[in-house]
């Protein structure tokens, strides 16, 4: 239990941390990696370069400080992060390292303003916050299908569009393929030639559970793979059938509910991957559940899974598909391959959403998600009915 005095200090200094949060967390990562370069085998270097991880950590530390005396408010957010940590094999022994360098960063960046009293209060608060994470993660480790990374063999590699390729994976040791909930992801870890550290990325499972494989569908990212898209380019260009990659057990809490409420699956670009898992599961197990599948893509060249979506929708008794192309080709126009042109704006959503009490699942690029979530709220959908997942660190979409 934290003392009244500690709580008071932490709460009153939280706004200073918020103001200089990114500065503090940038300094924190730099000094931690200098002292513990082995941690670069866990962290995503691209997120670091873009400052996304620094922002995510700063926001969370600020939120935790603000709610230090009622951390249960933050439990849903903590659980989401804990899934990511578990999926990356973050262990309890890592927490004191992060704590040490976070406190050092607060001290060094704030200078004289960070008195011993303040630093001690933050040290105590970090102890409480990290214990919440450690306890939740321990439970998740106990429930996971296997511990740490396990070798999987690529049994099939299939192009889904000019940018997206699927990899079908089976455990190399012949063990059973784990079950999972539609919407969950796995971490893929690669040792890439020329890279000093291992590279980790999360990919949603893109097929229904219950198959003899795990399927991920990877978008080739970035024009220049030296900065962005190192892992996706490597997978596309160098990993083929018969090759092995390491993966952790399925994780994540962006998962399909199995109520009979009408279902809206809304995706942009490669955000379609978790939707495939959700759609196919529903088509197999809840054939009478009304489903509206909304997908936004540039055009049919880059659009993945069109036939697979149609096949799944055909199994459902009440199904609707709505495609929006931002930049349709001539052939798309001639063949009526899309329902609307441009973006998924409020007007289009309003016309599509006939039941604001339905369950809404949203996944796609950050701008797409922000707009869609805002638009859903504007047309009267309650927050608790909107589920979403960011690819990459979730940077402050929700205000606490
Ligand atoms: C991701 C917070 C401790 C390693 C994250 C994210 C947040 C966060 C907010 C982004 C989640 C997302 O992707 O949506 C925290 C807090 C901690 C803590 C508040 C302490 C109380 C640790 C520790 C480690 C760690 C001890 C291991 C050394 C990571 C990694 C990611 C991550 C590797 C994935 C993001 C990336 O690689 O870019 N954490 N974390 N975290 N965290 Fe932590």
């Amino acid at each position: 239990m934290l003392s009244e005095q500690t709580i008071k200090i932490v709460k009153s200094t939280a706004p200073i941390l918020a103001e200089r949060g990114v500065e503090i967390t940038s300094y924190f990562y730099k000094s931690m990696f200098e002292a513990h370069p082995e941690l670069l085998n866990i962290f995503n270097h691209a997120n670091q370069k873009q400052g996304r991880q620094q922002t995510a950590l700063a926001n969370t530390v600020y939120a935790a400080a603000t709610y230090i005396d009622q951390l249960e408010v933050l439990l849903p957010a903590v659980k989401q992060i804990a899934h990511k940590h578990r999926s990356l094999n973050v262990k309890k022994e890592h927490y004191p390292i992060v704590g040490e360098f976070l406190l050092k960063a607060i001290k060094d960046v704030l200078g004289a303003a960070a008195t011993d009293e303040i630093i001690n209060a933050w040290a105590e608060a970090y102890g409480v916050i990290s214990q919440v994470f450690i306890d939740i993660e321990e439970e998740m480790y106990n429930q996971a299908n296997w511990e740490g990374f396990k070798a999987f063999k690529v049994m099939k590699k299939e192009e889904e569009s000019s940018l997206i390729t699927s990899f079908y994976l089976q455990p190399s040791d012949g063990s059973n393929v784990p079950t999972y909930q539609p919407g969950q992801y796995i971490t893929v870890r690669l040792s890439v030639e020329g890279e000093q550290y291992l590279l980790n990325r999360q990919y949603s499972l893109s097929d229904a559970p219950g198959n003899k494989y795990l399927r991920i569908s990877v978008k080739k990212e970035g024009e220049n793979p030296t900065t962005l898209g190192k892992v996706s380019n490597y997978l596309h260009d160098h990993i083929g059938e018969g090759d092995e990659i390491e993966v952790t057990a399925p994780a994540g809490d962006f998962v399909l509910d199995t109520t009979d409420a009408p279902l809206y699956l809304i995706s942009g670009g490669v955000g379609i991957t978790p939707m495939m898992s959700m759609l196919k599961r529903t088509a197999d197990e809840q054939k009478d559940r009304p489903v509206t599948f909304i997908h936004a893509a540039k055009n049919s060249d880059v659009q993945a899974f069109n036939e697979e979506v149609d096949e799944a929708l055909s199994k459902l008794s009440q199904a609707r598909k709505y495609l929006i192309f931002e930049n349709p080709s001539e052939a798309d126009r001639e063949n009526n391959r899309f329902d609307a042109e441009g973006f998924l704006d409020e007007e289009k959503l309003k016309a599509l959403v006939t039941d604001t009490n339905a369950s809404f699942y949203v996944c796609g690029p950050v701008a797409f998600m922000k707009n869609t979530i805002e638009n859903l709220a504007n047309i009267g959908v309650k927050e608790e009915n909107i589920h979403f997942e960011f690819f990459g660190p979730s940077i402050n979409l929700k205000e606490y």
Side-chain angles (χ1 to χ4, degrees), residues 143-260:
Q143 285 167 6
N145 292 84
W146 66 88
E147 209 191 317
F149 286 88
K150 182 164 156 170
F152 273 65
K153 201 167 252 174
V154 178
M155 55 174 276
K156 188 164 111 181
K157 183 177 175 184
E158 192 165 56
E159 210 172 272
E160 308 289 359
S161 78
S162 62
L163 283 178
I164 299 174
T165 290
S166 286
F167 296 81
Y168 291 73
L169 310 170
Q170 276 179 336
S172 300
D173 63 5
S175 58
N176 288 341
V177 174
T179 188
Y180 54 89
Q181 296 187 66
Q184 289 195 303
Y185 56 81
I186 54 173
T187 292
V188 168
R189 182 167 79 176
L190 291 179
S191 161
V192 171
E193 228 183 285
E195 287 293 322
Q196 197 179 352
Y197 299 102
L198 297 167
L199 301 178
N200 300 273
R201 289 295 180 278
Q202 286 74 45
Y203 293 106
S204 298
L205 294 162
S206 63
D207 207 338
N211 286 301
K212 289 201 163 63
Y213 53 79
L214 296 178
R215 183 177 75 170
I216 55 169
S217 305
V218 179
K219 180 185 168 206
K220 207 172 180 15
E221 294 282 357
E223 296 282 300
N224 177 3
T226 53
T227 48
L228 200 72
K230 258 184 206 166
V231 173
S232 64
N233 278 275
Y234 193 83
L235 284 167
H236 273 248
D237 299 340
H238 298 284
I239 297 291
E241 288 169 14
D243 287 337
E244 262 185 1
I245 57 179
E246 290 184 301
V247 311
T248 53
D253 58 1
F254 174 64
V255 293
L256 182 67
D257 68 79
T258 46
T259 64
D260 51 13

Side-chain angles (χ1 to χ4, degrees), residues 9-10 13-14 17 61 65 103 106 118-127:
I9 296 171
V10 168
T13 48
L17 248 85
V61 171
L103 287 170
I106 295 174
I118 292 177
I119 292 297
N120 290 340
W122 273 90
E124 264 189 75
Y126 178 81

Side-chain angles (χ1 to χ4, degrees), residues 15 19 27-28 43 65 67 101 178 221 253 260 287 395 399:
E19 212 174 281
Y27 183 98
F28 150 74
F43 282 87
Y67 288 95
F101 286 91
E221 294 282 357
D253 58 1
D260 51 13
K287 292 189 191 332
I395 33 178
E399 298 280 336

